[in-house]
Amino acid sequence: MSDRKLALVTGGSRGIGRAVCVKLAEIGMDIVFSYQSDAPAAEETERLCEEKGARVLKVQADVSNSDQCDRLIAQASWFGGGHIDVLVNNAGITRDGLTMRMKNEDFDAVVNVNLKGTFYMMRGVSRFMIRARRGRIVNMSSVVGVRGNAGQLNYAASKSGVIGMTKSLAKELASRGITVNAVAPGFIETDMTGKMTANARDASLAEIPMGGAGRVEDVACAVAFFAGEESRYITGQVLCVDGGMAI
Ligand code: NAD
């Protein structure tokens, strides 16, 4: 049995999630990650983590489905020999549009993945962490959850909700040696931002005091900090990785 810590990362097949998996593997953790449908991309994440010396398990799971979250958690716990040391709730989607034209389905889809998915995962994994009296939970919020954004009311609701859940669970679990923090990326080059219109992209980039987009590794380093020992006395916090957007 490995004495490496086990990290469970949702949405690890690409983008920020993949960078988080690789970074946590690099700092000595074994990795279980979920992916929604892109098996070849998941295999690439697996290969990159194994190159860093990690044991890796990839699991196909839709985080908006609570049964699939429970199955994912059970598989992670089995892989970790009964332990899940770190949970990173990274999976997320956007369905942008102005509020007056936003369909119920677009609101629900975003809340189901970003907010409810994070809840299902935190509820399931916290049971293991409470038993072990240790653990790190890191939730992916967004600068949009901190300051709002025109055309992203649904996404802002979900990502502000993630911050509220982070602070609430941090209070519930603080006495058990478990920290719960959030990372709020600004504009990071991934498939998600690649879908934006040229106008929306230019408007967002113009708002970044440091100029230019961030890299997935910038976010992964912040997650690794909250996942590691150095952050042991920090809980309920939101760290913006945004080149100054939220100032
Ligand atoms: P991405 O679209 O490249 O990746 C999203 C990941 O989530 C993928 O691995 C995808 O398979 C997974 N996913 C989506 N729906 C899922 C579901 N129902 N079940 C399981 N997995 C699912 O996006 P990204 O830019 O890498 O974003 C990662 C996280 O960072 C998201 O939570 C996103 O909201 C957040 N974020 C991104 C940015 C940015 O600028 N890219 C900014 C702020 C916050």
Side-chain angles (χ1 to χ4, degrees):
M1 182 63 58
S2 164
D3 59 0
R4 293 162 66 99
K5 290 207 164 132
L6 185 94
L8 170 54
V9 180
T10 65
S13 58
R14 61 171 194 249
I16 293 171
R18 174 185 281 169
V20 167
C21 290
V22 174
K23 183 72 191 172
L24 296 182
E26 189 178 289
I27 63 171
M29 297 186 188
D30 288 334
I31 307 292
V32 176
F33 72 91
S34 74
Y35 67 99
Q36 202 184 5
S37 55
D38 189 347
E43 275 165 28
E44 177 62 5
T45 300
E46 180 180 39
R47 191 188 64 76
L48 292 167
C49 292
E50 283 175 349
E51 259 180 26
K52 303 287 182 190
R55 291 167 64 239
V56 185
L57 177 69
K58 55 184 182 330
V59 180
Q60 201 218 329
D62 176 353
V63 298
S64 67
N65 178 308
S66 81
D67 290 340
Q68 292 191 30
C69 287
D70 289 342
R71 184 176 54 83
L72 168 62
I73 293 163
Q75 286 179 271
S77 145
W78 163 78
F79 194 70
H83 288 289
I84 302 173
D85 301 288
V86 174
L87 168 66
V88 182
N89 284 306
N90 165 78
I93 60 168
T94 51
R95 292 276 176 85
D96 297 349
L98 290 176
T99 304
M100 62 183 179
R101 287 198 287 268
M102 188 173 285
K103 297 193 177 78
N104 292 351
E105 303 89 86
D106 291 334
F107 189 90
D108 291 345
V110 168
V111 166
N112 286 344
V113 175
N114 300 6
L115 189 68
K116 286 192 182 173
T118 300
F119 159 61
Y120 298 143
M121 292 301 296
M122 292 199 299
R123 178 179 60 187
V125 170
S126 61
R127 291 178 186 140
F128 288 90
M129 292 182 171
I130 287 169
R131 225 176 292 140
R133 297 195 70 83
R134 64 162 201 252
R136 298 276 188 271
I137 297 175
V138 188
N139 294 326
M140 205 58 73
S141 180
S142 165
V143 75
V144 170
V146 175
R147 43 167 255 174
N149 195 26
Q152 290 198 303
L153 170 134
N154 50 355
Y155 186 71
S158 71
K159 294 298 188 178
S160 300
V162 164
I163 292 174
M165 293 198 299
T166 299
K167 292 178 187 236
S168 300
L169 191 62
K171 286 183 171 170
E172 287 185 24
L173 300 184
S175 64
R176 316 294 185 107
I178 302 161
T179 67
V180 189
N181 290 290
V183 172
F187 189 110
I188 310 295
E189 294 284 9
T190 66
D191 290 0
M192 183 177 276
T193 42
K195 282 189 312 196
M196 291 166 78
T197 63
N199 281 351
R201 189 186 162 82
D202 290 348
S204 287
L205 286 170
E207 285 190 84
I208 303 173
M210 289 184 79
R215 298 172 312 186
V216 290
E217 293 80 9
D218 297 325
V219 182
C221 286
V223 172
F225 171 66
F226 283 136
E229 279 311 305
E230 295 81 0
S231 62
R232 59 170 284 278
Y233 201 56
I234 304 173
T235 196
Q237 299 303 304
V238 182
L239 180 55
C240 294
V241 180
D242 65 350
M245 258 177 126
I247 297 170

